[in-house]
């Protein structure tokens, strides 16, 4: 594929913006609440909006029970409940609340993997790590998500914006954003859980607005030029050192690494500092980029930090399909499903 190749993609008439998937990540909670208030104040200008540009935006408060308790979740992590196996499996009367809620969200936004699924899901999250604004997705060749990323970088030059790729199959993808035809998590930090910081909230608000603007531009026929973008592909997670018997942690992130997300970590660099004061170095075989460093919510998951490789990914120029191209695309998809 060449940079100047033009790829035509289906319109994106339905977009979901979700907040509160984790009930104590408050930027998304308050932003979706604000968007819901604004939705009730449709202006005459919006009513006159060109039909080709119009986008149906569904605002969703994903985990209302956890939000009420200002907790990450009630019974189990909702953002790990969207695998095909979970969504299609049997559910008992005593199933965890988040499993039941995942099925409701799948009916609302999906079904996952079906033609009826919403076109784009943007799921809003906060991290306690010093990561700036990140888009996290399961594909490094979803031109819609990568062009949105490129657009945000251009429109928000004062905010560090990065794209993280988790190489997980559609079948095994587990987060809410995987329910849409396209989707990503918008992760912004640092922000403590249970707290809302104005600068972090504002970055999220501007990021969401720019994302929706891009969708409207795309639907109206704007051609977006291709080029190269940097993608951080996740390689592995690293757990804290632990006591062999009690499994309690015996060290913390080293002060020289703390808050240095996306700064290259070389073999031999300080990684942990034990509670007795000893420095433990990074013993990997290659330099990698750390992220989610000392994320509060990942202590229970056995993750002290994640490591990624940085790559340059070429993305083609794109525009929306014409009606004739859309009809041909639908016929092609239908034929593939029948086969």
């Amino acid at each position: 594929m060449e940079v100047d190749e033009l790829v035509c993609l289906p319109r994106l008439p339905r977009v979901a913006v979700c907040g509160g998937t984790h009930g104590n990540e408050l930027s998304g909670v308050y932003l979706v609440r604000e968007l819901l208030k604004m939705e009730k104040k449709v202006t005459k200008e919006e009513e006159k909006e060109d039909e080709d540009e119009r986008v149906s935006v569904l605002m969703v408060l994903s985990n209302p029970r956890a939000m009420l308790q200002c907790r990450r979740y009630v019974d189990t992590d909702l953002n790990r409940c969207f695998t095909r196996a979970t969504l299609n499996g049997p559910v008992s009367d005593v199933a965890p609340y988040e499993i039941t809620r995942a099925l409701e969200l799948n009916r609302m936004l999906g079904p996952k993997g079906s033609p009826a699924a919403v076109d784009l899901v943007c799921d809003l999250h906060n991290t306690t790590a010093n990561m700036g604004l990140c888009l996290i997705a399961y594909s490094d060749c979803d031109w819609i998500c990568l062009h949105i990323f490129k657009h945000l970088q251009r429109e928000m030059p004062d905010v560090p914006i990065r794209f993280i790729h988790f190489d997980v199959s559609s079948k095994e993808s587990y987060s809410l954003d995987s329910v849409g035809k396209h989707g990503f998590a918008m992760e912004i930090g640092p922000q403590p859980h249970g707290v809302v910081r104005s600068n972090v909230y504002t970055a999220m608000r501007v990021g969401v607005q720019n994302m929706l603007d891009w969708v409207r531009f795309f639907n109206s026929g704007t051609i977006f030029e291709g080029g190269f973008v940097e993608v951080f592909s996740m390689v592995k997670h690293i757990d804290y050192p632990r006591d062999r018997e009690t499994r309690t942690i015996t060290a913390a992130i080293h002060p020289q690494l703390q808050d240095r997300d996306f700064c290259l970590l070389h073999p031999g660099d300080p990684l942990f500092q034990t509670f007795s004061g000893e420095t433990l170095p990074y013993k990997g075989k290659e330099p990698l980029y750390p992220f989610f460093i000392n994320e509060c919510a990942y202590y229970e998951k056995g993750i002290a930090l994640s490591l990624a490789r940085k790559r340059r990914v070429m993305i083609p120029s794109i525009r929306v399909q014409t009606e004739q191209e859309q009809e041909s695309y639908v016929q092609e998809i239908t034929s593939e499903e029948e086969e």
Side-chain angles (χ1 to χ4, degrees), residues 161-172:
I161 302 177
R162 301 176 180 93
F163 191 98
I164 301 174
H165 167 226
F166 280 60
D167 188 13
V168 178
S169 70
S170 174
K171 180 180 178 181
E172 297 300 324

Side-chain angles (χ1 to χ4, degrees), residues 163-166 231-238 262-265 282 286-292 305-311:
F163 191 98
I164 301 174
H165 167 226
F166 280 60
V231 171
F232 290 87
S233 292
M234 203 278 287
V235 175
K236 62 181 178 179
H237 303 301
I238 294 181
F262 300 106
C263 295
L264 197 58
L265 181 67
Y282 168 52
E286 62 176 313
L288 293 171
Y289 291 86
F291 64 100
F292 278 127
L305 69 157
S306 300
L307 294 172
R309 292 189 187 97
K310 183 167 69 172
R311 302 181 296 118

Side-chain angles (χ1 to χ4, degrees), residues 53-70:
E53 298 180 12
R54 190 169 300 164
V55 180
S56 172
V57 183
L58 178 62
M59 271 73 74
V60 181
L61 290 168
S62 310
N63 196 336
R65 288 191 188 178
M67 287 165 44
L68 284 172
Q69 299 178 36
C70 198

Side-chain angles (χ1 to χ4, degrees), residues 14 43 79 85 89 97 104 106 124 130 132 150 163 177 207 209 215 221 237 239 250 258 264 272 280 291 294 310:
R14 296 188 302 146
T43 64
N79 218 33
Y97 165 69
E104 293 174 355
N106 188 50
L124 305 175
N130 187 30
K150 189 171 179 237
F163 191 98
D177 53 274
Q209 186 58 59
V215 173
H237 303 301
D239 192 8
T250 58
Q258 181 64 51
L264 197 58
F272 296 108
L280 304 179
F291 64 100
N294 206 15
K310 183 167 69 172

Side-chain angles (χ1 to χ4, degrees), residues 22 24-29 72 124-129 186-193 195-196 200-201 204 292 295:
H22 294 137
N24 58 358
E25 297 178 10
L26 297 188
S27 294
V29 172
R72 182 175 176 86
L124 305 175
H125 289 268
N126 290 121
T127 174
T128 60
M186 182 181 289
E187 186 94 42
I188 308 185
Q191 177 171 284
H193 297 320
V195 169
V196 59
V200 173
Y201 171 87
M204 182 176 283
F292 278 127
E295 162 59 45

Side-chain angles (χ1 to χ4, degrees), residues 65-82:
R65 288 191 188 178
M67 287 165 44
L68 284 172
Q69 299 178 36
C70 198
R71 294 170 55 183
R72 182 175 176 86
Y73 55 79
V74 177
D75 296 320
T76 192
D77 192 336
L78 176 62
N79 218 33
R80 302 296 184 273
C81 293
F82 293 92

Side-chain angles (χ1 to χ4, degrees), residues 83-115:
T83 62
R84 295 275 179 92
T86 301
L87 295 177
N88 297 325
V91 180
S92 71
D93 294 337
V94 293
Y97 165 69
E98 277 81 7
I99 297 292
T100 303
R101 182 59 177 158
L103 299 180
E104 293 174 355
L105 291 167
N106 188 50
R107 288 192 293 270
M108 182 190 307
L109 305 178
K112 179 176 179 174
S114 76

Side-chain angles (χ1 to χ4, degrees), residues 257-270:
L257 178 59
Q258 181 64 51
D259 298 326
R260 290 179 58 80
D261 296 77
F262 300 106
C263 295
L264 197 58
L265 181 67
H266 294 87
D269 285 350

